[in-house]
Amino acid sequence: RLIYTAPLEFFFVKIKVALFGAIILAFPVIALQTYRFVAPGLYKNERHAFLPYLIASPILFALGGALVHFFVLPFVMAFALGQQQAAEAGRAAIELLPRVSDYLSLVTTLILAFGFSFQLPVVLTLLARVGIVTSEQLGRWRRYAVVAIFAFAMFVTPPDPLSQIGLGIAVYLLYEISIWCARLIEKRRDEDEAAADA
């Protein structure tokens, strides 16, 4: 059994790592192609307004991945290693025997979950710029957003409390930043309208 499954498992690990690398490397190209698709339907001032989001999106994705690598992953590994126990009288030994495929699966899942979750300010500020949502609405929806954020964190992260709480807190802070950005957009829009009326 081991003779046949080990090469197959290694093959799937290689495919997963290759797909993960392809998503990371292709992300700026995908964002650029999205902009090129949308740009012909925008006015000139709207194109200039769209460019900061195009730049912010890969930066936020990289920040999410960096948060996983430098802060979340050490806590997750310490939590997993802390579950080990030595064999004693009346107590069985618990030993962590991780496989490379398990480790890579954990790392890629966390980086993708944090990276895509960090796109929340981009999405919400774009919606605020278009006029679909307002900062007042986002403030009123805060209670529901907290529940939705932590439910999302529970589903996309491994079943350990540290990564779930870490993602939930990070996305909630990004939600608050989105409200602040929406207020800035509304203030600028009001100033432009006042200048146009004058």
Side-chain angles (χ1 to χ4, degrees):
R1 185 169 176 259
L2 289 174
I3 293 172
Y4 292 104
T5 58
L8 188 62
E9 184 178 346
F10 182 69
F11 174 72
F12 284 122
V13 168
K14 285 175 72 174
I15 287 178
K16 188 168 187 176
V17 171
L19 286 173
F20 177 71
I23 289 171
I24 299 296
L25 292 175
F27 191 78
V29 176
I30 292 168
L32 181 63
Q33 292 301 321
T34 304
Y35 172 73
R36 286 186 175 174
F37 177 75
V38 174
L42 301 174
Y43 293 110
K44 190 174 182 180
N45 61 340
E46 291 173 335
R47 283 186 210 153
H48 292 303
F50 195 76
L51 280 174
Y53 300 106
L54 193 63
I55 295 167
S57 189
I59 291 172
L60 286 171
F61 190 93
L63 283 174
L67 182 68
V68 169
H69 181 71
F70 292 111
F71 295 104
V72 176
L73 204 55
F75 283 115
V76 170
M77 296 312 293
F79 177 79
L81 291 171
Q83 303 304 310
Q84 298 185 108
Q85 66 180 20
E88 292 179 4
R91 192 171 74 170
I94 299 174
E95 199 173 339
L96 180 67
L97 300 171
R99 294 178 298 178
V100 174
S101 60
D102 295 336
Y103 178 77
L104 288 174
S105 177
L106 173 70
V107 171
T108 54
T109 301
L110 284 175
I111 288 177
L112 287 175
F114 275 72
F116 285 119
S117 299
F118 270 52
Q119 303 304 310
L120 184 67
V122 172
V123 173
L124 290 180
T125 50
L126 275 173
L127 291 174
R129 183 175 285 279
V130 173
I132 295 174
V133 296
T134 63
S135 60
E136 186 182 340
Q137 287 174 330
L138 293 173
R140 279 202 320 265
W141 298 340
R142 188 178 279 120
R143 289 178 295 179
Y144 308 110
V146 169
V147 174
I149 285 166
F150 279 94
F152 170 77
M154 183 181 67
F155 283 111
V156 300
T157 56
D160 69 280
L162 293 172
S163 60
Q164 292 173 2
I165 291 170
L167 180 59
I169 290 171
V171 175
Y172 176 71
L173 291 174
L174 291 170
Y175 184 80
E176 292 295 333
I177 291 169
S178 303
I179 295 173
W180 180 73
C181 291
R183 282 196 190 116
L184 286 178
I185 288 168
E186 290 165 359
K187 184 178 178 185
R188 186 175 295 174
R189 186 188 300 146
D190 292 340
E191 289 172 357
D192 292 344
E193 288 174 359
D197 291 340

